[in-house]
Amino acid sequence: MAKKNSDCQVIVVTSGKGGVGKTTAVANLSTGLAKQGYSVVVMDLDIGLKKLDLILGLENRVIYDIVQVIEGECTLRQALVKDKRFPELFMLPAAQTRNKDDITAEQVVEVCKELRPDFDFIFIDCPAGIEKGFQNAIAAADKAIVVTNPEVSAVRDADRIIGMLESADFRDIKLLVNRIRPDMVRRGDMLSIEDLIEHLCIELLGVVPEDSGVVISTNRGEPIILNDKSSAAQAFSNIVQRMQGIEVPFMTLQEDSFWGKLRRNLGFGR
Amino acid sequence: MFEFLKRIFSDGKPSSRSRANDRLRVVLTHDRVGSSAQLMETLQEEIIALIARHMEIDGTPEVRLISEGRHSALDISIPLKGR
């Protein structure tokens, strides 16, 4: 394994509400960073309700899980699943038949400590909710990405999560808005990015538009970031750049015109 | 011109986006400090009663939560009668 940076960033991806796109974000950002040559590991901490293996298309390669690592049934190295596409990307699977109380926050911190020397980025896929699973997921992280949708219930939950992260002394909390529909915002039927920032008062990391391609890529087990024709892929790629410290302007969420769509589908750039 | 046309063709109701913003503003302010509309009413009654015991109130007193960024404050405005 070749690590690019001397330090390691441990990032928890969280939201409070379920179904807003945490796992999709983890899969795409980790794949994007691995594509840039970084050593990346993703930890699925949604114990009992695992999804990350499926989203990354690695479900058939799973042998051991994080609970077995913690209980000493296997080594951490043995449990890491290597990605099909990028040799620098690894996944530490969750256990499906166990639950959140089977591990402690201290044990997660220990696992991260063992991973830090070998990786540039460690992503922690946090379960929905604010209970034990959330506490376990944030314990080892240095920074947080809060994922939300432009929808009142998701925003309310995100606000609660941000409050809890601040109480836990997180200094670096960034917002990822997923599934925005520019056409609806323009009609006055959806909260805009500006609205979300006004309510949540945290720095924006990126905006991912609603894209039916995400469902299709999920069906295939291939993160959409690898399909450069899609708008969601472009959005995730921009976030990957920002995570490397490169300044990228936020996408102007113009609705696709007929000609724009045609041009893109024919492969004439974006 | 565009605004004018929009007004003619809209049904006069505020957009669902602005309703969402208004509702979120209230609910997030309450969530952050663990208050509720009910509690604000109680506070208003008690604060006014307390002040009224010592001074003469003139006009409509107001007790409300305001927020700046993620910080909240109780904004109490009680107009007093001069002598």
Side-chain angles (χ1 to χ4, degrees):
Chain A
M1 254 175 279
K3 193 164 141 70
K4 275 177 114 171
N5 295 332
S6 55
D7 62 333
C8 170
Q9 300 183 33
V10 184
I11 306 163
V12 62
V13 179
T14 181
S15 67
K17 186 178 179 296
V20 297
K22 281 183 295 297
T23 307
T24 305
V26 168
N28 281 287
L29 299 181
S30 59
T31 299
L33 285 162
K35 197 179 167 193
Q36 298 297 315
Y38 290 96
S39 292
V40 186
V41 62
V42 290
M43 276 169 76
D44 189 353
L45 279 192
D46 204 347
I47 295 164
L49 290 169
K50 67 171 175 175
K51 310 167 194 67
L52 191 56
D53 55 338
L54 210 48
I55 305 291
L56 282 169
L58 299 176
E59 69 275 17
N60 292 328
R61 300 186 172 202
V62 174
I63 301 170
Y64 297 109
D65 59 59
I66 186 171
V67 178
Q68 288 172 304
V69 174
I70 286 168
E71 293 180 349
E73 278 180 53
C74 63
T75 65
L76 182 53
R77 287 273 152 232
Q78 286 174 315
L80 289 180
V81 180
K82 198 173 180 170
D83 184 58
K84 290 179 200 168
R85 296 150 285 243
F86 300 102
E88 303 294 325
L89 176 60
F90 291 83
M91 174 188 64
L92 182 57
Q96 185 68 338
T97 54
R98 306 293 291 270
N99 65 60
K100 271 103 190 156
D101 297 321
D102 289 336
I103 61 170
T104 66
E106 293 72 32
Q107 289 166 331
V108 178
V109 172
E110 276 308 306
V111 171
C112 278
K113 205 192 263 175
E114 208 179 321
L115 291 169
R116 272 179 192 266
D118 294 328
F119 293 94
D120 297 305
F121 293 93
I122 302 176
F123 281 95
I124 301 177
D125 190 8
C126 177
I130 52 172
E131 297 81 17
K132 184 80 193 296
F134 168 75
Q135 300 298 343
N136 287 346
I138 68 167
D142 320 312
K143 359 178 126 178
I145 297 176
V146 175
V147 182
T148 196
N149 296 157
E151 192 253 313
V152 285
S153 60
V155 177
R156 187 184 200 174
D157 286 4
D159 188 73
R160 181 104 164 86
I161 288 293
I162 294 165
M164 295 180 82
L165 289 168
E166 283 180 343
S167 310
D169 274 334
F170 273 78
R171 299 283 155 79
D172 191 333
I173 309 171
K174 293 203 172 87
L175 184 67
L176 193 164
V177 180
N178 193 25
R179 307 192 68 174
I180 195 150
R181 288 189 47 185
D183 56 326
M184 289 190 72
V185 175
R186 207 166 323 108
R187 282 202 304 270
D189 279 328
M190 185 176 266
L191 293 164
S192 70
I193 300 301
E194 293 73 29
D195 296 338
L196 296 175
I197 294 171
E198 187 206 311
H199 291 302
L200 298 173
C201 315
I202 59 169
E203 195 187 323
L204 184 65
L205 175 66
V207 181
V208 182
E210 170 86 68
D211 183 339
S212 55
V214 173
V215 175
I216 298 166
S217 72
T218 304
N219 289 342
R220 298 207 169 106
E222 292 164 1
I224 195 159
I225 195 165
L226 299 172
N227 169 2
D228 51 15
K229 275 193 205 137
S230 102
S231 54
Q234 184 57 47
F236 278 122
S237 299
N238 289 349
I239 298 172
V240 165
Q241 297 217 51
R242 285 181 204 118
M243 292 182 77
Q244 299 169 73
I246 303 166
E247 258 184 62
V248 188
F250 290 98
M251 273 163 98
T252 50
L253 292 172
Q254 288 303 322
E255 207 178 333
D256 250 3
S257 69
F258 171 75
W259 291 110
K261 251 183 208 159
L262 185 68
R263 223 176 303 139
R264 247 188 358 182
N265 290 337
L266 292 174
F268 295 111
R270 285 188 286 273
Chain B
M1 181 67 188
F2 183 62
E3 281 303 309
F4 172 73
L5 285 175
K6 229 161 96 180
R7 222 175 306 143
I8 288 184
F9 291 108
S10 76
D11 48 11
K13 268 194 271 176
S15 70
S16 71
R17 172 184 163 195
S18 73
R19 280 290 291 142
N21 276 322
D22 293 344
R23 293 173 64 218
L24 272 173
R25 233 165 260 136
V26 174
V27 93
L28 295 186
T29 310
H30 284 315
D31 282 358
R32 284 172 193 163
V33 294
S35 64
S36 64
Q38 182 72 55
L39 176 65
M40 293 311 297
E41 223 169 274
T42 312
L43 274 180
Q44 169 144 346
E45 276 168 26
E46 290 182 10
I47 291 169
I48 292 169
L50 171 73
I51 303 296
R53 253 193 281 151
H54 303 282
M55 304 173 102
E56 206 173 333
I57 297 174
D58 184 22
T60 323
E62 225 183 327
V63 175
R64 60 193 183 112
L65 274 175
I66 52 169
S67 52
E68 200 183 304
R70 300 189 62 82
H71 302 284
S72 307
L74 199 57
D75 183 41
I76 305 173
S77 162
I78 301 178
L80 300 172
K81 197 170 221 171
R83 285 178 193 275

